[in-house]
Amino acid sequence: MWSNMKRGLVAAMTLSAAAALALGGCGSSNPGSGGGGAITLKLVAADYGTGPQNSSQKYWQGIADAFHKQNPNITVTVQTINWNDFDSQVKTMVQNKQYPDVLEGDYFPDYAQAGLLYPAKDITSPATFSNLLPVFAKLDTYNGTQYGMPFTTSARTLFYNKQLFQKAGITAPPQTWADIQTDAAKIKRLGKMGFGLPLGPEEAQAESLLWFLGDGGGYQDASGNWAINSAPNVAALQFMTGLVKAGDTEPNPGTKNRTDLWKQFAQGQIGMINGSPALIPIIQSGGVLTSSDWASVPIAGKLGPLDKTLGVCDNVSVFKTDPSKKAAITKFLNFFYQDKYQIQFDQEYDLLPATNSAIQALSSDSTFGPFLKALPNSVQYSSAPVWTQVKTQIQQTIGTAMTQDPKQVLDAIQQTAQKGA
Amino acid sequence: MVDIARASGVSRAPARRPGRLPAIRRLRRAVTPLAWLGPAIALIVVVVLWPVYVMFNTSFQHFSPDGFLLGPAGSRNFTDLFAESGLSGILERTVIWVVVVVGVTMLISLALAQLFNQRFPGRRVARWALIAPWAASVVMTSLIFRWALDPNSGVINVFLHDIGLIKSFGSNEADWLGRPASALIWMIVVAIFVSLPFTTYALLAGLQTIPGELYEAARVDGASHWRVYRSITLPLLRPSFLVALLINVINVFNSFPIIWEMTQGGPGHETATTTVFMYQLKQAYIGESAALSVINFGLVIVVVLVFLKVTRWRDQVTA
């Protein structure tokens, strides 16, 4: 019997080896982009969807198909990567020199520094270029030249669950850190989570910056020098540690990611959480909270609500792959920057547009209006090339400040920032 | 049989008089084995030696985070690596990880192999079932455990809550993967789970090579079960035990997907082993990551050499 089994195993292994070979064969027979004037462009984009039914793959494939209909000799292949893996997969791609033609998602200033990208001006028509939202131009600029092009934007606000607030007997939305502390404690007594604090690797750099801003801190000081280990930042982390220790947040925030906590908020399990418009579709698809059960207000600061917030934009960057593709890429960019597609994207994912004309078209919208007003006042991440390394370190280590000395954690990050790229 | 013997005798005859062969034929004779060894040698050079060279080379270069060579780094990657504050904890954790996972796996597998070597109804099905954790993708298994341990709705937590061991969902005690110590324990459990099939099969194969007469003789001499196991089974199982042990040590040391899928080595680097830390470093510091890779490589080599020495591998396995 033993030998029977072995024979079976060998057969199975032979089969799977053959299958692997066959698959490998398929992969390598991918047609090049050269022959007969046919051009293939590779688009890599982040997936903003919450599941297969609203995957960004669909959005981009729709654009790619429409574009191909107009330009039969240009084919755009679309690959989307979910946000959790986006940074690490793109980095691996670039480290292995497998550049996409067009990348949409996080912007990496060091790629501009390395000379990998086309300047935005060279790859778009003047009309498209001048239509890009100017607020984010500085963020996308390296050495005086703009490389990144904003594609979609969002501003952060504080979301709270009105139902839970009512049950806990809280009448006003939170405005200060003290409010957050007392409100969270009251909600905790209902058996729910008071405040959702996502300090896991997914987007810890955003959550911590919102707290730093609340104390007058930030990653850089007014003159643009790194100030990561400044006193206000340390104080902010200490305050957050206090919340965690009191059990007003989820346990072990350093291991909890934004996406998971947003889903819990949508299920009515969390009293307050910092969010962006992207949280709205998650709430809607959760089917637990109706639109009157939640609201969003400006981010709470130490002494009062913030008059500025974190403005985040996701960008398009274009890699210098094959010079013969340049004209085709320009055509494609001009095509997908049409208002129609900007608005389609924002309605699908409740994000904000990144072009002047699309903003105008949406300015009277009741959902988007407040966020659009916050955009011009927004604070942004650094555009220095070393930000890539700093961001990675914040994502990996800032959660440990909840159990260790915050000053030491911030000192280590500051050291990385000052060492430079 | 006789024919073959005669034929080989004939063909061997000229070889006894090499002096009479022309030079060209002698050369061809010397080179012929290369035709057979060549592909294997080429494979080793391309698949093993070249990457090792590249790894060493990379560890002494300065790379930008996007993979561009900025020039030689001297030994700076190594000094940076040794200055990492988490490194000593990571090394300690790696030792615990390897020793506990391999040790427990070997113990359980010894028992399982013994069990599967008995005749019992349904043995064939049971043996096939044992393959499942091995056949399933490790990533999939790890994800399933991660979901099962979800602090709010994981099936393990629901069960523990139902029997009263966990008071409330979403609490610190239900957050198994959030606390470094308990996360490590759960990841060790998963690593043992996926290592069992291979180890058990290796030991089972060993058990089946032990001749039945030895057991019969022992029974005639009136030896107890325990005595038979200690004096016959264990010594004769030694070769396959050592092979399984060595392969497990290397596999578990290099294991990446379990930890990456369950905690990503976090919070910080508090659940990372050297292999996972290597990947965390690679996000921003390619050279430093290569330096750690060199150290990992050295560690594996040292462990294997010490192991071979201590177990007198040659006498045991090749005898």
Side-chain angles (χ1 to χ4, degrees):
Chain A
M1 198 209 84
W2 175 237
S3 72
N4 263 349
M5 225 160 88
K6 237 173 21 189
R7 217 174 300 140
L9 255 184
V10 170
M13 283 192 306
T14 318
L15 247 180
S16 57
L21 280 176
L23 282 175
C26 282
S28 63
S29 69
N30 246 352
S33 58
I39 294 179
T40 305
L41 301 180
K42 185 177 170 201
L43 167 81
V44 171
D47 192 349
Y48 297 77
T50 48
Q53 73 286 356
N54 67 347
S55 156
S56 301
Q57 185 81 29
K58 271 190 188 167
Y59 168 81
W60 284 110
Q61 197 57 57
I63 294 182
D65 292 344
F67 182 67
H68 184 68
K69 209 174 263 173
Q70 272 188 22
N71 304 276
N73 65 329
I74 309 175
T75 310
V76 180
T77 60
V78 178
Q79 181 195 350
T80 51
I81 304 174
N82 92 48
W83 266 121
N84 254 330
D85 304 324
F86 185 81
D87 273 25
S88 67
Q89 283 202 24
V90 169
K91 274 182 210 162
T92 306
M93 233 181 250
V94 170
Q95 284 171 354
N96 291 326
K97 316 262 184 294
Q98 291 164 339
Y99 306 119
D101 291 298
V102 180
L103 177 73
E104 190 278 318
D106 268 354
Y107 170 68
F108 302 88
D110 47 325
Y111 295 168
Q113 182 197 28
L116 291 178
L117 307 178
Y118 280 115
K121 236 184 179 129
D122 297 1
I123 201 76
T124 50
S125 71
T128 305
F129 182 72
S130 60
N131 194 21
L132 297 174
L133 207 60
V135 205
F136 293 100
K138 192 173 150 237
L139 185 72
D140 292 329
T141 298
Y142 173 74
N143 253 356
T145 310
Q146 182 177 350
Y147 291 91
M149 289 155 269
F151 178 75
T152 182
T153 61
S154 75
R156 300 299 160 109
T157 53
L158 173 63
F159 285 64
Y160 67 101
N161 183 325
K162 280 180 168 172
Q163 253 183 352
L164 291 181
F165 266 57
Q166 210 176 3
K167 269 191 210 157
I170 312 165
T171 46
Q175 296 193 315
T176 63
W177 286 1
D179 288 350
I180 287 189
Q181 200 162 22
T182 49
D183 295 353
K186 283 179 189 164
I187 290 164
K188 186 196 159 201
R189 260 172 254 144
L190 301 174
K192 305 284 182 186
M193 189 192 305
F195 192 94
L197 191 65
L199 291 180
E202 186 184 348
E203 217 198 11
Q205 78 274 18
E207 184 67 24
S208 24
L209 180 55
L210 291 174
W211 286 93
F212 295 165
L213 290 176
D215 202 8
Y219 292 129
Q220 288 165 301
D221 62 19
S223 47
N225 297 319
W226 292 106
I228 299 172
N229 56 355
S230 66
N233 291 0
V234 175
L237 286 178
Q238 278 162 347
F239 178 79
M240 291 151 78
T241 309
L243 283 180
V244 176
K245 291 239 164 81
D248 295 338
T249 67
E250 80 277 13
N252 311 304
T255 61
K256 302 296 177 292
N257 282 325
R258 181 188 73 168
T259 310
D260 297 329
L261 286 177
W262 281 7
K263 281 183 188 154
Q264 274 176 265
F265 181 85
Q267 287 155 9
Q269 299 298 319
I270 300 181
M272 296 167 275
I273 194 163
N274 289 326
S276 80
L279 173 50
I280 300 172
I282 302 178
I283 295 175
Q284 285 162 349
S285 70
V288 176
L289 301 180
T290 64
S291 58
S292 58
D293 289 338
W294 62 273
S296 93
V297 291
I299 304 282
K302 191 174 183 180
L303 303 171
L306 292 189
D307 55 355
K308 54 189 173 184
T309 184
L310 169 66
V312 184
C313 80
D314 293 334
N315 290 275
V316 168
S317 23
V318 181
F319 284 79
K320 289 180 181 165
T321 44
D322 181 351
S324 67
K325 289 181 178 177
K326 198 179 158 191
I329 296 174
T330 307
K331 251 188 202 170
F332 182 53
L333 255 63
N334 292 335
F335 186 80
F336 74 66
Y337 264 113
Q338 293 176 75
D339 284 0
K340 182 170 90 173
Y341 293 122
Q342 278 280 306
I343 293 171
Q344 185 196 338
F345 189 86
D346 300 326
Q347 281 168 345
E348 178 77 55
Y349 302 113
D350 284 300
L351 287 165
L352 308 177
T355 63
N356 292 322
S357 57
I359 283 191
Q360 233 149 36
L362 279 179
S363 57
S364 55
D365 187 290
S366 60
T367 317
F368 293 125
F371 290 104
L372 286 172
K373 260 180 232 137
L375 258 190
N377 276 332
S378 58
V379 178
Q380 287 128 33
Y381 296 132
S382 163
S383 63
V386 74
W387 171 246
T388 305
Q389 279 151 327
V390 172
K391 184 177 81 176
T392 305
Q393 198 174 344
I394 296 171
Q395 289 173 337
Q396 286 177 353
T397 63
I398 204 137
T400 60
M402 298 297 105
T403 50
Q404 296 164 13
D405 177 15
K407 180 80 166 69
Q408 270 178 13
V409 176
L410 292 179
D411 280 346
I413 303 173
Q414 171 82 1
Q415 215 182 350
T416 303
Q418 278 170 341
K419 234 195 296 180
Chain B
M1 210 49 194
V2 179
D3 274 355
I4 294 169
R6 203 191 300 144
S8 65
V10 167
S11 75
R12 216 181 288 137
R16 295 207 191 99
R17 304 187 304 258
R20 296 181 61 177
L21 279 175
I24 291 188
R25 271 189 72 188
R26 242 188 306 159
L27 185 71
R28 214 165 64 192
R29 199 158 262 268
V31 170
T32 316
L34 267 186
W36 306 103
L37 293 175
I41 292 175
L43 197 70
I44 290 173
V45 169
V46 173
V47 177
V48 180
L49 296 181
W50 173 248
V52 169
Y53 164 75
V54 173
M55 176 180 75
F56 273 92
N57 196 29
T58 309
S59 71
F60 292 103
Q61 306 284 3
H62 182 162
F63 278 91
S64 75
D66 351 317
F68 284 93
L69 184 56
L70 302 178
S75 58
R76 211 175 62 221
N77 288 328
F78 287 90
T79 48
D80 282 356
L81 175 64
F82 292 127
E84 291 282 347
S85 57
L87 188 67
S88 61
I90 290 166
L91 286 171
E92 265 170 48
R93 201 169 308 115
T94 309
V95 172
I96 295 173
W97 167 258
V98 172
V99 170
V100 175
V101 171
V102 175
V104 177
T105 303
M106 295 307 295
L107 279 180
I108 299 180
S109 290
L110 274 176
L112 275 179
Q114 206 64 39
L115 176 70
F116 281 109
N117 202 31
Q118 307 299 319
R119 289 187 188 285
F120 59 89
R123 181 173 75 162
R124 175 194 284 258
V125 177
R127 278 184 178 176
W128 277 106
L130 181 64
I131 295 189
W134 193 10
S137 132
V138 179
V139 172
M140 207 171 81
T141 312
S142 316
L143 276 178
I144 289 174
F145 271 92
R146 192 178 86 195
W147 288 334
L149 289 166
D150 183 280
N152 298 296
S153 49
V155 64
I156 293 176
N157 275 326
V158 170
F159 174 72
L160 292 176
H161 183 257
D162 285 353
I163 62 173
L165 283 180
I166 282 178
K167 279 177 218 87
S168 62
F169 292 116
S171 61
N172 193 39
E173 48 174 356
D175 190 19
W176 297 100
L177 296 178
R179 287 169 287 144
S182 62
L184 190 66
I185 292 173
W186 273 107
M187 294 191 297
I188 286 176
V189 168
V190 175
I192 293 169
F193 177 70
V194 299
S195 308
L196 281 179
F198 162 75
T199 318
T200 306
Y201 273 104
L203 295 178
L204 186 56
L207 282 179
Q208 288 177 340
T209 61
I210 302 175
E213 298 89 53
L214 289 177
Y215 290 114
E216 259 170 58
R219 216 175 304 132
V220 171
D221 289 344
S224 68
H225 282 299
W226 174 237
R227 183 64 205 265
V228 169
Y229 187 71
R230 246 183 2 162
S231 305
I232 297 178
T233 311
L234 273 187
L236 288 175
L237 200 54
R238 197 175 153 110
S240 42
F241 185 87
L242 290 181
V243 172
L245 187 64
L246 183 63
I247 292 180
N248 267 326
V249 166
I250 297 173
N251 265 351
V252 172
F253 179 81
N254 286 328
S255 169
F256 172 77
I258 299 173
I259 298 179
W260 190 255
E261 283 307 326
M262 290 177 73
T263 64
Q264 299 209 341
H269 311 294
E270 288 171 27
T271 53
T273 61
T274 51
T275 308
V276 173
F277 187 47
M278 202 162 72
Y279 191 77
Q280 289 181 322
L281 276 178
K282 195 222 66 166
Q283 307 269 10
Y285 305 99
I286 297 176
E288 205 181 319
S289 175
L292 181 53
S293 183
V294 165
I295 292 182
N296 277 343
F297 181 71
L299 281 178
V300 170
I301 300 254
V302 167
V303 166
V304 170
L305 287 180
V306 167
F307 180 86
L308 295 186
K309 185 93 189 151
V310 169
T311 58
R312 287 168 300 149
W313 181 266
R314 273 188 159 281
D315 313 340
Q316 293 297 330
V317 176
T318 56

